[in-house]
Amino acid sequence: AIFFDTDHEIHTPYATLALGSAERLLVPLSLDENDYDRLFVGDIALFPVLERLHNEGFLKAKIDRFVFNRVKSINNEPFKDPNTGGRLTFHPAQLDLQEMKVIVKDLHSRYLAGMHKVFLDADVVGSSNQRFFQRYITALRLAGSNAINLSKSKGIALTQLDSTASSHVGKSTLEPLRRNVQDLVEGLESSPSFSKAGPVVDKSSSSPSSPSFSKAG
């Protein structure tokens, strides 16, 4: 695994080497639309670099998942979105889910406008918004500051913490986090089973020239 900053380092030699060598690309996303915009703006942003490397024949690592992070949860029950069929390992707060959908809608429009060539399994996913969400979108729940601080101070990953590490962080806090991370990792090792959908319908003419959002009321 190779980690690099998608804001400023994606165009550097070691990041380019990684993109030409790795098998897949996992892209973390926040719910901040300004952060999301920076994936597209400028020649050294993530998607322009991926497209350039693809066109030059150097890109091997294609997008496998987008992982929304710091998503607020209502409860720890697995969630299936009734509109997209997308699944998460926890039930997200409604406002966070709405913001995820806004960003995913824009991602899907760019995918249809020609960006599908930098995604894994685009020929299986096809043009379907439902399949796009099911195949490429997952999330990591918001962790409490007490759990994060404990993890950092002890130098122990969240998945390895237990309630004996501190009297201030109980099992009821740690167990949902640990389960979410473990389920997310297991999910990254598999993909939804789809029959082949055929080529993506290229809607290049409707491609937004700059990041734009159409929020539902």
Side-chain angles (χ1 to χ4, degrees), residues 2 17 19 44 60 70 78 108 113 125 195 199 202 205 210:
I2 300 175
L17 176 62
L19 292 172
I44 62 173
K60 181 180 180 183
R70 298 180 301 225
H108 185 244
V125 173
S195 57
D202 192 335
S205 60
S210 60

Side-chain angles (χ1 to χ4, degrees), residues 146 166-170:
N146 56 349
S166 171
S167 60
H168 302 294
V169 186

Side-chain angles (χ1 to χ4, degrees), residues 38-180:
R38 290 201 295 268
L39 295 176
F40 304 96
V41 178
D43 294 338
I44 62 173
L46 175 64
F47 276 90
V49 169
L50 292 179
E51 187 170 27
R52 174 176 59 79
L53 292 176
H54 172 81
N55 293 339
E56 293 173 352
F58 294 134
L59 183 67
K60 181 180 180 183
K62 294 190 175 183
I63 293 173
D64 185 30
R65 293 292 200 288
F66 292 96
V67 184
F68 283 92
N69 55 56
R70 298 180 301 225
V71 176
K72 295 177 183 176
S73 63
I74 294 176
N75 59 50
N76 303 321
E77 297 300 317
F79 172 77
K80 180 179 179 181
D81 183 67
N83 297 318
T84 65
R87 297 176 184 270
L88 300 176
T89 61
F90 62 94
H91 196 297
Q94 187 61 31
L95 290 177
D96 282 14
L97 178 62
Q98 289 176 357
E99 189 61 33
M100 283 177 62
K101 288 184 175 182
V102 169
I103 292 175
V104 172
K105 179 180 179 181
D106 190 77
L107 275 172
H108 185 244
S109 71
R110 295 174 184 280
Y111 169 91
L112 293 178
M115 202 61 73
H116 61 276
K117 57 192 174 185
V118 300
F119 284 74
L120 286 173
D121 298 335
D123 59 332
V124 175
V125 173
S127 301
S128 165
N129 179 58
Q130 287 77 16
R131 289 191 178 197
F132 182 89
F133 200 110
Q134 293 168 35
R135 173 61 181 84
Y136 300 117
I137 306 301
T138 188
L140 186 63
R141 63 185 295 153
L142 176 68
S145 57
N146 56 349
I148 293 296
N149 289 333
L150 178 62
S151 174
K152 291 190 292 186
S153 66
K154 297 289 186 181
I156 303 174
L158 280 173
T159 53
Q160 302 302 314
L161 284 174
D162 60 49
S163 56
T164 63
S166 171
S167 60
H168 302 294
V169 186
K171 184 176 180 180
S172 61
T173 297
L174 291 174
E175 187 56 33
L177 290 172
R178 184 161 49 237
R179 187 165 61 247
N180 177 210

